Amino acid sequence: MHKILKYILIALGLVGAVLWFQLPSAEMPASEAVNSTSMNLLFVITYVLLGAAIIFSVIFALKNLFSTPDSLKKALFSIGGLLVVVIISYVLASGTDVDLAEMSNKGIETTEGTTKWIGVGLNVFFILTVVAVILMIVPSFKKIFSK
């Protein structure tokens, strides 16, 4: 299986190299270059390889996750922690931070719910950033004071 996969990847690499040299020149207008067959085929190869990488990553991650009960327990605690952070962020987000009429005047149609979920995303980011910084600083202080 490993040899077959290696030969497939070599073949895709060679096809990609040939297509690379057939790409349109820089002088060609972008509207024409977009319709280039070689460019479209390079995108197809990229999407196929990206899809395969995602599928295999998920399969092997799930396989390793379910292989031991301890890793599954840790994963569930992590997901639970993330859900707690999202709930706290949802409670803290107001959704009234932006003047909706002003946004509408600028041509950006939005609702209070959309604004609230943007606030939730920002709050999650800030909370997780603070937690990450704390988790980097606390062990450093422990090492300094334990010596």
Side-chain angles (χ1 to χ4, degrees), residues 11-138:
L12 285 174
L14 291 174
V15 169
V18 169
L19 291 173
W20 177 264
F21 288 109
Q22 292 180 347
L23 284 175
S25 65
E27 293 82 29
M28 183 179 284
S31 60
E32 292 178 25
V34 169
N35 295 326
S36 168
T37 303
S38 59
M39 186 177 295
N40 290 334
L41 289 175
L42 280 172
F43 278 120
V44 168
I45 291 172
T46 303
Y47 292 142
V48 167
L49 290 175
L50 181 64
I54 290 171
I55 289 170
F56 284 119
S57 296
V58 169
I59 288 172
F60 287 118
L62 290 175
K63 179 185 167 205
N64 289 336
L65 182 67
F66 292 117
S67 64
T68 60
D70 192 40
S71 63
L72 185 60
K73 183 178 176 182
K74 285 181 183 179
L76 289 175
F77 276 124
S78 298
I79 292 170
L82 183 62
L83 285 175
V84 168
V85 169
V86 170
I87 290 169
I88 291 170
S89 298
Y90 187 81
V91 169
L92 292 176
S94 67
T96 58
D97 303 340
V98 177
D99 184 15
L100 298 178
E102 184 66 30
M103 294 290 282
S104 180
N105 290 340
K106 291 182 179 181
I108 304 171
E109 294 300 323
T110 186
T111 63
E112 189 173 326
T114 304
T115 307
K116 184 170 180 110
W117 278 108
I118 292 171
V120 169
L122 290 171
N123 289 341
V124 167
F125 173 76
F126 294 140
I127 291 171
L128 292 178
T129 302
V130 168
V131 168
V133 169
I134 289 171
L135 289 176
M136 286 187 293
I137 292 175
V138 169

